Amino acid sequence: GIRQRGYIMGVNINVLAEDGTICVAHSGVELGQGINTKVAQAVAYRLSVPLSMIVIQHNSTETIPNSTVTGGSGTSETVVNAAIMAADVLLKRLQPYLTHTNDTPWQDAIDAAFSNGVNLSAQGYWGGGPSGSVKTNPLYDYFVYCACCSEVELDVLTGEIQVIRCDIVYDCGKSLNPSVDIGQVEGAFIQSLGFYLTEAVVQCEKTGQVLTAGTWDYKPPTALDIPQIFNVTFLKTSNPATVSTLGSKAVGEPPYQLGASVFFAAKQAVYAARADAGLTGYVSLNTPATPVDLQTACGIAPEQLTL
């Protein structure tokens, strides 16, 4: 489970009276994890407006200061919660201008509110405790469940490995955006393949100098390391935690651990190769299990290489 202290995130929503455009600034950092998409969707959902009316602005400490770092797989959730809080503040002000059936056109409501001097800017602040106080964040008092089954092929002569198939089942709760979250699962998994198989850090024993300082010697995963068959399935669940973000769960770092399935599949292939060579007993195989490590572990002797 994830239990974090000190997530502090803010969101500012400004509605332009002229055309009703909703400008949103938040304190998270978009670095490919889709936080901007999730925030825009949350605001559009809460205000019952088309997603096309949401504009995500650049983040800056001049706009929203005093936030915590983007990391720990929880920023998207906390920022979305802050966005929902800001949208609720705005909705409360606009309530007199919206019908009970909520079918008043957004622009008409904005025009009427602006004419009456209503403040069309709102702020949401997520600090994890009552009234925004910074306490242990109940948002992360839950567990993420996931499983992976992997099939690999090992060339016993070179130690090179090919990931044939991976099937991942992940408990994302009610995903805020399945397309984004599946990408996060896939990305974390491929990143973990480097940790388990290729990204060996070698240092000089005398000087401590890193000898694998570039991609000539340090090997992160490439497109050719992606499993030939790669399936990701989300369980149809919801987050049962007392406080959650629309029933979702964290995604980002948790799937990283699933790369271990490829490592253990490779180790099983090593045992199979050793059995063919008449070798038995336990084999110690550390991570990353590089091609050299795997080839050595197979125990293939030169005299076995006959035509």
Side-chain angles (χ1 to χ4, degrees):
I2 301 176
R3 205 172 179 85
Q4 281 282 356
R5 283 184 179 271
Y7 264 120
I8 303 174
M9 292 293 164
V11 169
N12 288 341
I13 297 179
N14 298 300
V15 181
L16 305 183
E18 185 173 345
D19 62 359
T21 297
I22 302 165
C23 300
V24 181
H26 63 79
S27 56
V29 177
E30 172 62 68
L31 33 79
Q33 81 278 45
I35 188 171
N36 284 350
T37 300
K38 290 182 176 181
V39 169
Q41 286 183 306
V43 173
Y45 165 74
R46 207 62 163 188
L47 298 180
S48 300
V49 298
L51 186 61
S52 59
M53 297 191 66
I54 311 298
V55 176
I56 300 294
Q57 299 177 309
H58 294 294
N59 62 330
S60 168
T61 52
E62 295 178 348
T63 305
I64 307 176
N66 307 319
S67 64
T68 48
V69 299
T70 294
S73 300
T75 309
S76 292
E77 288 182 274
T78 47
V79 170
V80 166
N81 264 17
I84 291 174
M85 293 170 67
D88 286 344
V89 171
L90 190 61
L91 275 179
K92 186 175 181 179
R93 295 178 190 159
L94 294 175
Q95 199 58 48
Y97 309 96
L98 296 169
T99 65
H100 294 295
T101 57
N102 223 7
D103 58 2
T104 300
W106 174 256
Q107 186 59 53
D108 292 346
I110 294 303
D111 288 340
F114 181 70
S115 298
N116 288 334
V118 174
N119 182 4
L120 298 179
S121 298
Q123 183 183 62
Y125 179 81
W126 178 260
S131 302
S133 62
V134 180
K135 294 184 177 180
T136 299
N137 197 330
L139 182 67
Y140 300 99
D141 195 9
Y142 63 82
F143 292 91
V144 174
Y145 300 92
C146 50
C148 177
C149 183
S150 296
E151 176 187 351
V152 305
E153 285 184 357
L154 173 65
D155 186 329
V156 299
L157 300 182
T158 65
E160 292 290 344
I161 192 172
Q162 179 67 58
V163 184
I164 303 302
R165 176 169 179 159
C166 290
D167 292 276
I168 295 175
V169 178
Y170 191 85
D171 170 26
C172 200
K174 292 182 179 179
S175 171
L176 295 175
N177 184 307
S179 295
V180 169
D181 290 338
I182 287 175
Q184 287 292 286
V185 172
E186 293 173 337
F189 182 84
I190 298 302
Q191 184 179 359
S192 72
L193 293 186
F195 174 82
Y196 284 108
L197 298 177
T198 62
E199 297 184 48
V201 178
V202 181
Q203 295 174 294
C204 176
E205 294 182 358
K206 293 183 178 180
T207 66
Q209 179 184 0
V210 177
L211 302 178
T212 51
T215 54
W216 187 257
D217 300 297
Y218 186 84
K219 302 298 181 182
T222 67
L224 295 178
D225 296 305
I226 298 174
Q228 295 178 10
I229 301 174
F230 198 7
N231 299 317
V232 177
T233 303
F234 285 162
L235 293 176
K236 295 182 179 180
T237 62
S238 182
N239 190 343
T242 304
V243 179
S244 69
T245 306
L246 302 177
S248 68
K249 289 187 177 183
V251 62
E253 290 160 307
Y256 192 96
Q257 62 184 313
L258 298 177
S261 65
V262 174
F263 170 80
F264 289 118
K267 191 168 185 178
Q268 290 300 314
V270 167
Y271 277 122
R274 289 174 63 85
D276 287 343
L279 302 175
T280 60
Y282 174 76
V283 175
S284 178
L285 191 63
N286 297 324
T287 56
T290 66
V292 173
D293 297 327
L294 291 170
Q295 194 277 334
T296 302
C298 287
I300 303 299
E303 56 268 21
Q304 294 175 294
L305 305 180
T306 59
L307 294 177

